[in-house]
Amino acid sequence: MTHVLQFYSVNTTLTAGNGGVLSFPPHFLWGTATSPTQVEGHILNEWTDYRARDGRTCHPACDSYHRYPEDIEWLVRLGVKGYRMGIEWSRLQAGPFAPLNQAELDRYLDQLDRLQAAGITPMVVLHHFSNPLWITKHGGWLNRATVEAFVDYVAKLVAALRGRVRLWNTFNEPDTYGSCSYLIGEFPPGDKWRFRAYCRVIRHMAQAHVRACQVIRQAGPAGAVEVGFSKNWTSFEALHPWSPWDRSIAAMSHLFFNRFVLHRFLGDGRREAATFLGVNYYGRVRFKHTRPMIPTFDFSRDQLAAMGVICDDMFERHPSGMEGALEKMQRQYGLPIYVTEHGSASTDEVFRERDLKENLVALHRAMGRGVDVRGFFYWSLMDNFEWQFGYAKKFGLIGVDFSDEKLPRVMKPLGRVYSAICRDNAVLNF
Ligand code: FCB
């Protein structure tokens, strides 16, 4: 379905290019994000024994399982008003259709109550790249029965958290999960080039998403509850537009990772299930001689920079792509948008500050053109376990020293910059 771009009243409150001040609308939700496997530690899911490239595991990550009260103090110090956090399915159910584990539930309830007391709105993510072992054992998301098991879990969880959670995020980046697990072998189960498996996983997740949205919206007071999934938006391009091979690979990637997934989740009327669309935007991937020009594919940042490809430790930075992606998605689906993740990994904090501001300028421009963006969540609250890369990628606003078993946290320069943005509800000196 194609929707006409609407112009919202926020336009009048946006003051771009005003002596270097970009103001955001009142009630714009400034937040930050984490996920259970990446920060909690002490987790029993298919990541537990997974060894990342640095030889380490997701245990104990940041030990947020025990230290969430302290982490909430950091959120307060940052001055964010939103926290996108996951609830880990494997902690709560011991098998299909089992009752929720009360002790584990109580811990999450305490976390949510502390957030509320601190004036921080949680956005709860139901699936962020991890499954209970009993789901993995039965084929994970390849098995249609996983949809029923997930919907049962969601119904029980929603009932248990009634009144505490207003913002729900069903699935985080099904495209990344499906491709890393079944195409490039980087996530458990580590399969490669199983295109049909990838499509099947996406289809099942999309079915589960629609059903979970119904459960959530029926349970919550109408109008108050918001629910959506988060799509990773990556632009795929050929480095040299005249290369037919690179253009074909880029077109195929776009078809598989963007169009197919958006269609399964939002096409044919399925968009009516959700109330918003989450967009995770990091940058773009360009291909040269069929190889992706990004640091994680064995190029150094300097080599890439010499070719005009400016990267953090993960992806090419491409702020104007954020603007284009947001406009395109608003036009196509007409749902309000939350930018549920953006961030950069680097130990160069000056680079990260520039990256953040450039992306917020692009976001602001999109809003000025009528895109209804309701909030922005910086990835991540703190340095954490970055899946196949282990602890090497530094995405945090807060630093964590993983060489010290006490896992001390420290505010980073970017944390201070972000804190000022949240406080001023504006980007200054961009
Ligand atoms: C996203 C994931 C998140 C984190 C960031 C860097 O794709 O959702 O967990 O790994 O990338």
Side-chain angles (χ1 to χ4, degrees):
M1 192 187 312
T2 302
H3 290 260
V4 177
L5 253 191
Q6 293 173 20
F7 285 83
Y8 296 87
S9 56
V10 293
N11 270 338
T12 52
T13 64
L14 298 171
T15 48
N18 175 6
V21 179
L22 284 185
S23 303
F24 284 74
H27 311 300
F28 188 81
L29 188 60
W30 293 103
T32 182
T34 58
S35 86
T37 306
Q38 293 178 277
V39 300
E40 286 183 357
H42 320 275
I43 229 160
L44 189 59
N45 62 26
E46 77 261 70
W47 287 93
T48 304
D49 297 322
Y50 176 98
R51 286 220 170 261
R53 289 190 198 172
D54 63 355
R56 302 181 65 182
T57 70
C58 64
H59 178 72
C62 310
D63 194 21
S64 295
Y65 182 71
H66 295 113
R67 297 177 53 174
Y68 62 92
E70 181 187 340
D71 294 341
I72 293 173
E73 281 168 27
W74 283 106
L75 291 168
V76 170
R77 232 167 283 171
L78 283 169
V80 293
K81 289 284 172 265
Y83 182 43
R84 178 174 178 261
M85 55 172 270
I87 289 192
E88 174 64 23
W89 186 7
S90 63
R91 291 196 191 284
L92 290 175
Q93 271 188 323
F97 310 105
L100 300 188
N101 178 314
Q102 194 58 47
E104 296 293 349
L105 183 62
D106 286 346
R107 200 192 62 88
Y108 282 121
L109 290 174
D110 184 48
Q111 187 172 0
L112 291 167
D113 288 346
R114 285 170 189 259
L115 285 168
Q116 193 191 17
I120 296 168
T121 303
M123 176 184 279
V124 167
V125 185
L126 294 166
H127 187 277
H128 196 131
F129 301 169
S130 64
N131 301 301
L133 290 171
W134 47 270
I135 286 287
T136 312
K137 203 169 129 207
H138 289 101
W141 287 91
L142 288 172
N143 187 342
R144 173 73 178 74
T146 295
V147 176
E148 301 305 324
F150 182 76
V151 174
D152 168 75
Y153 162 64
V154 173
K156 287 174 175 149
L157 185 68
V158 166
L161 302 187
R162 197 183 299 277
R164 285 181 165 94
V165 179
R166 202 176 67 71
L167 299 180
W168 295 89
N169 209 188
T170 54
F171 286 86
N172 177 69
E173 300 188 1
D175 34 32
T176 307
Y177 172 77
S179 56
C180 288
S181 303
Y182 295 98
L183 297 182
I184 60 169
E186 301 265 8
F187 287 7
D191 290 354
K192 286 192 175 164
W193 311 123
R194 294 186 60 197
F195 284 94
R196 290 178 63 179
Y198 169 83
C199 294
R200 198 175 161 82
V201 162
I202 298 295
R203 271 202 306 276
H204 287 158
M205 286 186 154
Q207 287 163 10
H209 160 75
V210 169
R211 301 260 310 274
C213 286
Q214 287 160 353
V215 167
I216 289 167
R217 290 176 74 177
Q218 274 160 17
V225 169
E226 297 180 42
V227 58
F229 86 110
S230 287
K231 171 77 186 78
N232 172 291
W233 183 269
T234 301
S235 325
F236 299 98
E237 294 167 28
L239 184 65
H240 301 301
W242 36 260
S243 159
W245 293 114
D246 293 337
R247 283 175 66 157
S248 315
I249 291 198
M252 283 296 289
S253 307
H254 176 65
L255 194 68
F256 256 94
F257 303 125
N258 294 333
R259 284 191 53 189
F260 172 67
V261 177
L262 283 167
H263 177 71
R264 293 314 313 184
F265 275 74
L266 302 175
D268 295 335
R270 285 182 288 269
R271 70 160 212 112
E272 312 292 337
T275 68
F276 73 85
L277 173 59
V279 177
N280 292 359
Y281 182 82
Y282 287 88
R284 76 176 154 185
V285 173
R286 288 193 282 174
F287 296 91
K288 185 181 176 194
H289 303 321
T290 72
R291 282 178 74 192
M293 307 295 289
I294 48 178
T296 47
F297 273 76
D298 299 332
F299 293 101
S300 74
R301 279 174 68 169
D302 290 346
Q303 276 172 314
L304 291 166
M307 291 184 260
V309 181
I310 306 303
C311 298
D312 71 341
D313 292 343
M314 297 276 283
F315 290 114
E316 182 180 357
R317 313 319 286 179
H318 184 44
S320 61
M322 153 103 83
E323 188 183 345
L326 294 175
E327 277 198 71
K328 187 178 160 68
M329 289 205 244
Q330 170 97 59
R331 193 176 298 118
Q332 201 153 359
Y333 300 107
L335 288 167
I337 292 174
Y338 285 92
V339 175
T340 38
E341 288 183 21
H342 171 78
S344 61
S346 175
T347 48
D348 179 347
E349 291 286 286
V350 174
F351 174 92
R352 294 180 77 212
E353 176 176 345
R354 198 168 50 238
D355 173 81
L356 172 62
K357 288 187 171 167
E358 285 175 358
N359 277 277
L360 289 177
V361 169
L363 166 62
H364 191 276
R365 262 200 311 264
M367 292 173 74
R369 294 236 283 270
V371 182
D372 180 12
V373 183
R374 305 269 167 102
F376 174 92
F377 293 80
Y378 192 82
W379 184 271
S380 173
L381 167 63
M382 55 193 156
D383 293 340
N384 58 46
F385 175 74
E386 179 50 35
W387 311 112
Q388 68 269 45
F389 305 108
Y391 297 90
K393 309 288 180 199
K394 307 294 181 189
F395 276 102
L397 296 168
I398 307 298
V400 179
D401 182 355
F402 295 103
S403 66
D404 180 335
E405 64 179 23
K406 294 202 183 83
L407 299 168
R409 278 91 158 127
V410 61
M411 181 70 86
K412 290 197 208 176
L414 190 71
R416 279 190 278 275
V417 169
Y418 192 57
S419 183
I421 291 172
C422 299
R423 184 196 58 220
D424 300 338
N425 194 24
V427 182
L428 314 183
N429 310 318
F430 58 92

